[in-house]
Amino acid sequence: GIENANNVIFVISANSMASPQCERELTHAIHHSKRLVPVLHGDVDRTKIHVALASLNWIFARDEDDFGRALESIVQALTTDLDWVDEHTRLETRAVEWNARARKRSLLLTSDELQAAENWLDRGAEKQPRPTELQRGYIRASRHAADRARKRVITFLAAGLLLALGLAAWALVERSKAINQANIATAR
């Protein structure tokens, strides 16, 4: 579920900070460079908060905070730069599948999809969440495969062209011989 999610809302509470399962899920979300939306719900020891959460802007949803305002902030966080995050999730899902299936060439990006992914990656330096190393590797492997396929097509086309030119030259020589023999026969 985390790999297919665009965002991960992490509720910061005393219970979530003490939970090994929450820690595993947070680590998994960080590994896949998911956009984290930290929601503070209750008092916690701030020294126990994961550094990835501590460095972000929190949404305050404690009992004393305005719940409507907190909900608006959550919706805004989830819908900010939605196209970027959707593409991040789509490419991460494809890259994870490619990696899990022994990096099969048939799962690589091609043509327009590859160009769009490369453009997306070029914009990644200033965006959140940042592209993962797996996404970068997936896009690089896709480009490498596309370049190899293009080189093969060019090689086959060049070989076909050389063969056609050779056959045309042979046909011209044979025609020239036939014309010369016809001229000799006419002269006799």
Side-chain angles (χ1 to χ4, degrees):
I2 290 171
E3 291 170 13
N4 293 322
N6 284 349
N7 305 284
V8 173
I9 297 174
F10 191 91
V11 179
I12 301 171
S13 68
N15 288 337
S16 67
M17 293 294 97
S19 167
Q21 182 62 36
C22 289
E23 175 69 22
R24 280 192 298 276
E25 290 174 357
L26 179 60
T27 301
H28 193 71
I30 293 166
H31 174 74
H32 289 284
S33 193
K34 293 299 176 178
R35 179 165 52 186
L36 299 173
V37 180
V39 177
L40 181 64
H41 183 68
D43 294 323
V44 295
D45 179 358
R46 293 181 185 246
T47 62
K48 296 193 189 279
I49 295 175
H50 194 286
V51 68
L53 295 174
S55 63
L56 298 172
N57 291 328
W58 299 351
I59 297 171
F60 293 94
R62 299 166 296 189
D63 291 338
E64 65 267 20
D65 295 316
D66 180 357
F67 180 75
R69 181 178 227 147
L71 190 57
E72 286 176 18
S73 296
I74 291 170
V75 169
Q76 182 181 5
L78 297 178
T79 58
T80 298
D81 212 359
L82 199 52
D83 291 339
W84 171 262
V85 178
D86 281 343
E87 188 65 6
H88 185 282
T89 300
R90 189 183 74 76
L91 287 171
E92 183 69 7
T93 301
R94 300 261 318 253
V96 165
E97 180 184 6
W98 168 72
N99 195 47
R101 294 182 66 196
R103 298 186 173 215
K104 288 179 68 171
R105 271 186 271 153
S106 63
L107 297 173
L108 293 172
L109 302 167
T110 58
S111 191
D112 293 342
E113 195 175 37
L114 173 57
Q115 186 61 51
E118 288 173 327
N119 292 339
W120 175 85
L121 190 58
D122 288 342
R123 296 189 324 269
E126 72 275 357
K127 296 285 194 169
Q128 287 293 335
R130 295 200 190 290
T132 65
E133 194 52 45
L134 182 60
Q135 288 168 325
R136 285 184 180 94
Y138 179 58
I139 294 169
R140 275 193 307 268
S142 296
R143 171 51 59 203
H144 180 72
D147 288 347
R148 285 184 59 203
R150 189 182 74 243
K151 286 176 185 175
R152 272 191 304 250
V153 167
I154 290 170
T155 300
F156 288 132
L157 287 175
L161 180 61
L162 287 174
L163 180 62
L165 288 173
L167 288 173
W170 178 77
L172 283 174
V173 167
E174 291 300 313
R175 183 171 183 249
S176 177
K177 286 180 186 176
I179 290 173
N180 282 343
Q181 288 177 351
N183 287 341
I184 291 171
T186 302
R188 284 187 187 156

